[in-house]
Amino acid sequence: MGRTSGYYGPYISKVEELRHYKVELPEGTQDYAVKFLDGFIMKSWLDYISFGETGTGGWSNGDGLIHCVRAAWDLESEDFQVSLLKHEAQHAMDQARYKDITNKELEYRAKLVELI
């Protein structure tokens, strides 16, 4: 189960692989886990209504993991390394350090890391 654009939908996959990364950030290193999903039976409503033309690349549901649609990413690309790993790892670091941080502050700090 995941959320796309605020709506829940069934993400049903046959394959799950958990990978752990040590992500270099401006204020240190953050351990971060990514659950890669593959062999989909269903990729929720957005994939369904677009006849497979679009869909989400992943989501976070508060369990400390990013659930990643494996086929949506080139794992060696800057897009994956920066826009996904560094961005999400910065969120994890900030949430651990600053208990009362707002969503706006989280996004602002993660975007700064992407720029750096």
Side-chain angles (χ1 to χ4, degrees):
M1 183 67 73
R3 288 176 66 149
T4 306
S5 299
Y7 298 102
Y8 286 104
Y11 290 88
I12 304 168
S13 65
K14 295 177 185 176
V15 179
E16 292 183 0
E17 177 189 357
L18 187 62
R19 290 191 194 175
H20 296 272
Y21 293 89
K22 290 196 177 295
V23 183
E24 295 292 326
L25 298 169
E27 297 177 325
T29 302
Q30 177 69 37
D31 292 330
Y32 199 72
V34 178
K35 183 187 286 187
F36 290 98
L37 307 170
D38 212 348
F40 277 89
I41 297 167
M42 185 161 195
K43 286 195 247 177
S44 194
W45 67 271
L46 189 55
D47 180 75
Y48 178 77
I49 66 170
S50 70
F51 298 101
E53 291 297 315
T54 191
T56 187
W59 64 90
S60 178
N61 62 7
D63 62 358
L65 299 173
I66 189 81
H67 300 259
C68 187
V69 176
R70 174 62 190 93
W73 298 93
D74 171 359
L75 303 187
E76 302 302 318
S77 72
E78 183 177 358
D79 193 33
F80 176 76
Q81 297 293 321
V82 175
S83 298
L84 186 110
L85 275 183
K86 288 188 184 289
H87 182 104
E88 296 298 332
Q90 184 65 44
H91 284 335
M93 180 180 275
D94 287 342
Q95 287 172 323
R97 287 183 177 177
Y98 311 111
K99 299 299 180 199
D100 294 325
I101 194 166
T102 67
N103 283 338
K104 284 183 183 179
E105 291 168 326
L106 280 171
E107 286 305 319
Y108 178 76
R109 289 177 57 81
K111 287 297 180 188
L112 287 177
V113 168
E114 288 186 48
L115 291 172
I116 292 169

